[in-house]
């Protein structure tokens, strides 16, 4: 068996599920409740990296309080997401017990009406455990948006030059 474990979190059962170690078919729109519950679990089970939190975050106590208000643990997360409490607990324990975690998410998270809240909940779990900015540990957005922004900066789009310059004679000369 490979060293990496994969948890698929998606309302839809897709081909990706065949390679998973755990499938969480949560109700659409409940990602924030799941990751808020995870943050509470991390705090309650002693899985926080207090040194990392002190050095690299602000407002952490408020974030924990908000997470508790949304999903105070595995039972509340299960109720909110439509998952079994056993599956939620398994997910929480797998995340807490893994030194390196990459959370990959795409447009279903980023571009929903609550996208900011969903991404914030995911990132908070990584910040809480110091699993960010390290090899094999980070939240990772898999959408076209970050690539499009990078493309704009380096002139990778057909309608503009690097650094948002247009095709005016002075801009063309500057690039030349």
């Amino acid at each position: 068996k490979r060293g990496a474990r994969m948890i698929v979190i998606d309302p839809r059962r897709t081909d990706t599920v065949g390679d998973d170690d755990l499938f969480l078919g949560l109700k659409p729109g409940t990602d924030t409740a799941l990751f808020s519950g995870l943050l509470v679990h991390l705090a309650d089970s002693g899985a926080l990296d207090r040194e990392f939190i002190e050095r690299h975050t602000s407002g952490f106590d408020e974030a924990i309080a908000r997470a508790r208000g949304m999903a105070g643990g595995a039972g509340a997360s299960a109720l909110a997401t439509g998952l079994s409490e056993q599956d939620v607990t398994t997910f929480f324990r797998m995340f807490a017990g893994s030194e390196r975690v990459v959370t990959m998410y795409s447009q279903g998270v980023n571009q929903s009406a609550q996208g900011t809240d969903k991404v914030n909940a995911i990132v908070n779990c990584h910040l809480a455990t110091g699993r960010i900015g390290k090899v094999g540990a980070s939240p990772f957005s898999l959408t076209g948006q970050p690539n499009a922004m990078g493309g704009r900066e380096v002139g990778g789009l057909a309608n503009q030059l690097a650094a948002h310059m247009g095709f005016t004679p002075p801009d063309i000369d500057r690039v030349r």
Side-chain angles (χ1 to χ4, degrees), residues 103-164:
T103 305
M104 296 183 281
Y105 52 93
S106 61
Q107 293 178 352
V109 169
N110 286 355
Q111 296 183 4
S112 77
Q114 300 84 27
T116 301
D117 294 332
K118 291 178 180 187
V119 172
N120 191 48
I122 292 167
V123 170
N124 283 344
C125 293
H126 282 268
L127 288 169
T129 55
R131 295 177 186 147
I132 191 164
K134 298 175 182 174
V135 174
S138 192
F140 187 56
S141 174
L142 296 169
T143 69
Q145 295 296 359
N147 189 43
M149 288 184 285
R152 287 182 196 105
E153 292 300 322
V154 299
L157 299 179
N159 63 344
Q160 67 186 62
L161 296 172
H164 305 276

Side-chain angles (χ1 to χ4, degrees), residues 18 59 84 87 159:
S84 74
D87 282 350
N159 63 344

